[in-house]
Amino acid sequence: MNKKVISLFLAAAMLLTASGCSESGSKEINDPVAYIENPPEDAGTRLNVTYSEWHNEYLFNMAKGGYDEELHVVMSEKFKREILEYLVQEHVFLYLAEKEGITAAIFTEEDTAYIEQNVKLAWDEWCKSYEAEAKLELGDGYTEEELYEKEFELFTAFMAESGLTPDIFYTWETNEVIQKKFFEKTSESITDEDVRTFVQETIDDAKNAYENDLATFEQTYTAFYVPEGTRLVQQIYLKISADDANEIKAYRNDGDDAKADELLEAALEPVRPIMEEVLEKLLNGEDWLAVQKEYNKDVNGNDVDYVVYPKSSYILPEITEAAMAIAEKGGVSDIIVSDSGLFILYYKDDRVFSDEEMQSLLEQGRDYLEQDVSYKKVSDFMEQYPYAYDYELMGLSAE
């Protein structure tokens, strides 16, 4: 950052401190909203979350999301509770990390550079969001340096409304690095075999879900297991009108399939000849992508692969059956009728679980186990030293 911006930042920070002097001495600002009644002897008040710490981050997150406290009551309460929970856990993490000898004092040059880079990226992103306003205030004839200074000034003013300065980003990034090092320290006993066992157990759970609980498999486990026979397909989709589709759906829901079928046949009349033309072109050997680009009404779905499992709880049965019935790669299905229109599928390839995906699972599995061990330490600590909360001060009801 250049010297002018540094000076601007320091000036803004001093203004913020000066303007907040009368308030910062008040009992409310310094009172804890979360505290341990009988903390460890060496903890003092370090585990407390003060009102100002909590309230400033609450205001910042509300402002960042564009929420008004009076107009968005539900979001207000959600942010209040989430930020409280996060800050309590962060205080415990930092305390336990220090007990392990993990503080900013042990940071390497690489750690410091990582923090500096992330803070600069965050500042630049925020400054960019004020570009139009800054240009309007500067008028004509400014330099890039002057533009950045004005953007930073506006960014600093926004932070000040929440009782914060841009320097808080250093604190946030520093705490993230400390937490990561705590994860690593507390999980040193986790072996590669532990990770492989955990991942394999998850894969086994995924296989079991596919066989016995398709909905759970498709919602939770598709990243862990690819059933044999799974295919990658593409589609050409010709839609009927939304009004027709909604009317057909209403009759289906009422149990009047005869009327729904009648309406569907009428709605398909304009698109059926077009789809027959599409199928003829494909069977005559015309290029799939060229035909798809010309006819597909789902324009965002051109050259997009869809995964179709041999069985599914949410894909239309006729789609699954048609995809599985295509004789060989490069082949196409017959015309498929649905209540929303007509489809033709193209069998592009088999979907198999790759070595790269397995390696990614192992890495994610290690991250999960590391965090699980660390969060268990936090949970055990909080069970031994339970927190009390001043819900009245935060304007929350006790849960």
Side-chain angles (χ1 to χ4, degrees):
M1 190 194 313
N2 61 55
K3 291 182 179 178
K4 287 186 178 179
V5 175
I6 291 174
S7 299
L8 175 67
F9 166 67
L10 291 175
M14 290 172 67
L15 278 173
L16 176 64
T17 302
S19 65
C21 279
S22 61
E23 187 181 35
S24 64
S26 71
K27 183 174 184 293
E28 182 179 89
I29 291 299
N30 293 311
D31 272 357
V33 292
Y35 56 95
I36 300 173
E37 293 179 338
N38 297 296
E41 291 183 4
D42 63 344
T45 61
R46 282 186 301 166
L47 290 161
N48 290 357
V49 177
T50 66
Y51 176 85
S52 59
E53 177 187 10
W54 166 80
H55 193 244
N56 290 349
E57 291 217 21
Y58 159 70
L59 291 178
F60 172 72
N61 280 276
M62 286 286 286
K64 183 171 68 172
Y67 297 111
D68 179 271
E69 196 166 30
E70 293 184 1
L71 295 176
H72 304 98
V73 176
V74 173
M75 289 305 301
S76 171
E77 178 158 339
K78 177 175 180 289
F79 275 124
K80 284 180 177 181
R81 294 189 187 279
E82 286 181 353
I83 290 164
L84 177 64
E85 180 180 0
Y86 174 81
L87 288 174
V88 165
Q89 286 193 343
E90 183 178 67
H91 276 254
V92 175
F93 265 120
L94 294 175
Y95 171 75
L96 294 178
E98 186 175 341
K99 301 280 283 184
E100 296 283 351
I102 303 169
T103 66
I106 69 165
F107 283 2
T108 64
E109 290 184 4
E110 184 180 358
D111 293 329
T112 303
Y114 173 82
I115 291 170
E116 291 279 355
Q117 179 185 31
N118 282 355
V119 170
K120 181 65 166 59
L121 287 173
W123 283 4
D124 287 351
E125 185 176 348
W126 273 99
C127 286
K128 189 69 175 176
S129 71
Y130 288 100
E131 181 178 9
E133 187 178 347
K135 287 180 177 179
L136 188 63
E137 289 196 20
L138 288 170
D140 299 326
Y142 54 82
T143 66
E144 287 299 313
E145 183 180 36
E146 288 170 336
L147 175 61
Y148 190 85
E149 288 177 8
K150 176 56 70 172
E151 290 170 347
F152 199 87
E153 179 185 331
L154 294 169
F155 164 45
T156 301
F158 170 78
M159 296 294 291
E161 291 175 3
S162 303
L164 300 171
T165 73
D167 206 35
I168 192 66
F169 284 84
Y170 280 106
T171 301
W172 291 338
E173 290 296 333
T174 296
N175 291 347
E176 285 284 332
V177 173
I178 290 173
Q179 182 169 289
K180 185 174 185 298
K181 289 182 179 295
F182 181 70
F183 287 165
E184 294 169 352
K185 177 71 174 179
T186 56
S187 61
E188 288 176 341
S189 62
I190 296 174
T191 66
D192 289 345
E193 185 59 33
D194 293 333
V195 175
R196 283 192 293 270
T197 298
F198 170 72
V199 170
Q200 187 57 55
E201 288 174 350
T202 308
I203 291 172
D204 292 341
D205 289 341
K207 290 180 180 179
N208 182 65
Y210 178 72
E211 294 300 331
N212 301 295
D213 187 355
L214 273 175
T216 297
F217 170 76
E218 289 170 317
Q219 291 168 11
T220 308
Y221 286 112
T222 55
F224 298 94
Y225 175 61
V226 178
E228 186 177 352
T230 300
R231 294 180 171 186
L232 295 176
V233 304
Q234 295 190 1
Q235 69 180 28
I236 294 174
Y237 177 29
L238 299 186
K239 304 176 182 180
I240 62 175
S241 75
D243 288 342
D244 286 338
N246 289 333
E247 190 175 3
I248 291 165
K249 182 179 180 181
Y251 278 108
R252 295 276 187 223
N253 290 340
D254 288 342
D256 193 345
D257 288 334
K259 183 62 176 178
D261 290 341
E262 179 185 337
L263 290 173
L264 178 59
E265 277 305 309
L268 290 175
E269 282 182 11
V271 296
R272 194 183 290 277
I274 301 172
M275 192 60 102
E276 289 172 351
E277 180 180 314
V278 170
L279 183 58
E280 183 177 0
K281 286 187 175 186
L282 292 170
L283 294 177
N284 286 335
E286 293 197 27
D287 179 68
W288 165 263
L289 289 178
V291 176
Q292 184 188 50
K293 185 176 181 180
E294 180 180 357
Y295 289 94
N296 192 23
K297 295 306 179 184
D298 183 15
V299 292
N300 294 323
N302 286 337
D303 201 20
V304 171
D305 297 339
Y306 297 96
V307 178
V308 179
Y309 303 107
K311 56 183 181 178
S312 172
S313 67
Y314 74 94
I315 295 179
L316 293 172
E318 53 266 35
I319 297 290
T320 299
E321 291 169 11
M324 295 299 118
I326 302 173
E328 57 187 15
K329 294 177 189 177
V332 297
S333 70
D334 201 349
I335 297 172
I336 306 162
V337 178
S338 79
D339 282 350
S340 62
L342 301 175
F343 292 86
I344 288 178
L345 303 181
Y346 169 69
Y347 177 11
K348 181 179 178 180
D349 205 350
D350 294 322
R351 168 74 172 96
V352 296
F353 201 75
S354 67
D355 292 340
E356 291 78 10
E357 286 175 298
M358 176 56 76
Q359 183 58 39
S360 176
L361 284 186
L362 291 171
E363 291 170 2
Q364 293 175 54
R366 177 170 288 280
D367 288 343
Y368 176 87
L369 290 176
E370 286 180 355
Q371 293 185 36
D372 189 52
V373 169
S374 299
Y375 278 105
K376 178 68 163 57
K377 287 185 177 293
V378 170
S379 177
D380 289 346
F381 177 88
M382 292 177 67
E383 187 174 332
Q384 183 178 0
Y385 299 100
Y387 268 83
Y389 302 96
D390 191 335
Y391 290 107
E392 182 178 357
L393 183 55
M394 293 183 286
L396 288 170
S397 59
E399 289 188 338

